[in-house]
DNA sequence: TCTGGGGTCCTAGGACCC
DNA sequence: TCTGGGGTCCTAGGACCC
């Protein structure tokens, strides 16, 4: 039986790389990608990181710098990133059956049917790296180890400390050297809170964390933390998650460009979020029984005392993915929890809990079967039309409430074209054909 | 003027039941 | 009214991830 080895393939500065695929002249130049509303930086190219631009920094704070350093900035273009991500993943899947797509830009693979010498593993990784780049234009790094946590660490080393972009944390000496060298915040599962807590006990590098007393870790960080420590020692606690893992919750939330005080605006926003939620439910073939909504105040406004955080939950009479039913329930719920607050609300969210696959859902005893069928037909028709003609071509009027402006709608000023998913945004290359033909004719004559 | 969105897992505590 | 053990379900909140 071959040894089980994990590889983590991670795209380098993924969003920035996606933008570069279609703008190759930006190779080597600093790029950032902005969050919704063009609020803050969510992704930076290596060159932008070198300028000191960090994840999460508000865009207005670096606008001056952008001018000075010829920084290129983009609004997020999730359709483009999502499409390129799928292409990368399908290349990986051509190499092995066990691929866990962990996020939009990374995936775990199992290498157990290969020769498990370090040399062979590195060779294979390089091959994958080159092939992904050839097929998609996206550069990736590969980390290899016996546990997921170590593979993550190996990937970090591959990215930061090697020119090849592949690295194996397999033999004990290498593991010790790097664990001594790297700070604990590089470990998967150790975030800001634990870094602070652990530093109180003098634990700052990975080697110290790995050698900490397990019972003490269990008390301080729970079973999750204990698993992390065991994985750092090479004991495998995490498996590859099967691809059909179904999600448990679906959330749609957005911040608004400005604070909203009017309930009409909020109704319109909640209705629109709920519409998205319905689309997602149907896309995943799920229904929901429980709907939760929340409103939050602007956390950056100071001196406001306790956070205004309104939330409410409603149990639906039966599981559904019908936008009409969901919207009316959400709006009723909003009206019942809404309290006026002069500073307004900055963000609203709608969440579906207790998800059920639509195949096994029993229809409500009291609902007649025909209305269920009608609802399904209507939703299918709406989804089809909106897919073909564009988002919101057909929608419930609540989401464009009569008294509401569109003050809550998102800003995306600098979005690049959706090159690979929209017919009218394809990359066009202009070639003067006449000229080209004349040139060729000349060459022919001469030869 | 301008500060993201979407998830997971685990734990503690309260309500309620036998 | 008090006493005890054991269990389930739900919710809120804390930690993390990308």
């Amino acid at each position: 039986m071959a040894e089980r080895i994990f590889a983590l393939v991670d795209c380098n500065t993924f969003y920035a790389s996606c933008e570069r695929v279609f703008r190759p002249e930006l190779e080597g130049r600093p790029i950032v990608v902005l969050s919704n509303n063009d609020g803050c930086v969510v992704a930076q190219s290596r060159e932008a990181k070198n300028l000191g631009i960090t994840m999460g920094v508000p865009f207005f704070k670096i606008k001056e710098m952008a001018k000075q350093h010829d920084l290129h900035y983009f609004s997020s273009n999730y359709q483009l990133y999502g499409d390129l991500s799928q292409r990368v993943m399908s290349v990986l899947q051509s190499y092995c059956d066990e691929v866990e797509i962990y996020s939009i830009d990374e995936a775990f693979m199992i290498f157990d049917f290969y020769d498990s010498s370090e040399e062979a593993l590195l060779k294979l990784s390089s091959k994958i790296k080159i092939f992904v780049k050839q097929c998609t234009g996206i550069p990736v790094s590969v980390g290899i180890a016996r546990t997921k946590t170590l593979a993550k660490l190996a990937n970090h080393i591959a990215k930061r400390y090697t020119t090849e972009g592949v690295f194996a944390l397999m033999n004990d000496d290498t593991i010790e050297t790097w664990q001594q060298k790297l700070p604990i915040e590089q470990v998967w599962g150790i975030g800001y809170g634990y870094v602070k807590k652990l530093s109180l006990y003098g634990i700052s590098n990975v080697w110290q964390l790995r050698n900490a007393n397990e019972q003490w870790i269990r008390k301080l960080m729970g079973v999750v933390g204990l698993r992390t420590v065991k994985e750092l020692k090479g004991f495998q606690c995490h498996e590859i998650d099967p691809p059909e893992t179904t999600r448990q919750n679906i959330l749609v939330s957005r911040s608004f460009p400005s604070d909203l005080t009017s309930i009409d605006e909020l109704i319109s926003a909640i209705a629109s979020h709920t519409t998205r939620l319905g689309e997602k439910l149907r896309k995943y073939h799920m229904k929901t029984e429980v709907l939760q909504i929340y409103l939050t105040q602007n956390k950056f406004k100071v001196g406001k005392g306790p956070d205004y955080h309104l939330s409410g939950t409603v149990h639906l009479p039966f599981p559904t993915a019908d936008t009409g039913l969901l919207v009316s329930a959400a709006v009723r719920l909003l009206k019942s929890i809404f309290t006026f607050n002069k500073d307004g609300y900055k963000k609203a969210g709608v969440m579906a809990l207790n998800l059920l696959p639509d195949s096994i859902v029993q229809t409500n005893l009291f609902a007649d079967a025909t209305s269920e069928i009608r609802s399904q037909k209507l939703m299918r028709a709406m989804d089809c039309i909106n897919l073909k003609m564009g988002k919101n071509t057909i929608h419930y009027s609540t989401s464009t409430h009569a008294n509401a402006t569109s003050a809550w709608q998102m800003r995306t000023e600098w979005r690049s074209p959706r090159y690979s998913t929209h017919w009218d945004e394809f990359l066009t290359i202009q070639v003067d054909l006449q000229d080209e033909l004349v040139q060729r004719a000349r060459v022919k004559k001469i030869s």
Side-chain angles (χ1 to χ4, degrees), chain A residues 15-17 19-20 23-34 41-49 51 53 59 62-76 81 414-416:
Chain A
Y15 296 170
S17 297
E19 299 292 349
R20 275 181 181 148
R23 299 274 306 272
E25 79 276 13
L26 296 180
E27 200 60 52
R29 311 274 281 278
I31 298 178
V32 294
V33 176
L34 305 173
V41 172
V42 290
Q44 322 95 279
S45 70
R46 172 60 43 202
E47 299 75 15
K49 282 178 190 164
L51 289 176
I53 299 172
F59 183 54
I62 59 162
K63 230 170 178 171
E64 263 315 300
M65 192 177 175
K67 276 185 215 152
Q68 281 170 32
H69 292 95
D70 193 25
L71 176 76
H72 292 261
Y73 40 89
F74 295 89
S75 306
S76 1
Y81 311 152
W414 305 295
R415 203 201 61 218
S416 50

Side-chain angles (χ1 to χ4, degrees), chain A residues 294-314:
Chain A
Y294 67 84
L295 302 174
T296 49
Q297 244 192 334
N298 192 339
K299 62 181 171 182
F300 292 99
K301 281 193 176 167
V302 284
K304 289 292 182 298
D307 272 5
Y308 250 104
H309 181 104
L310 295 181
S311 71
T313 309
V314 62

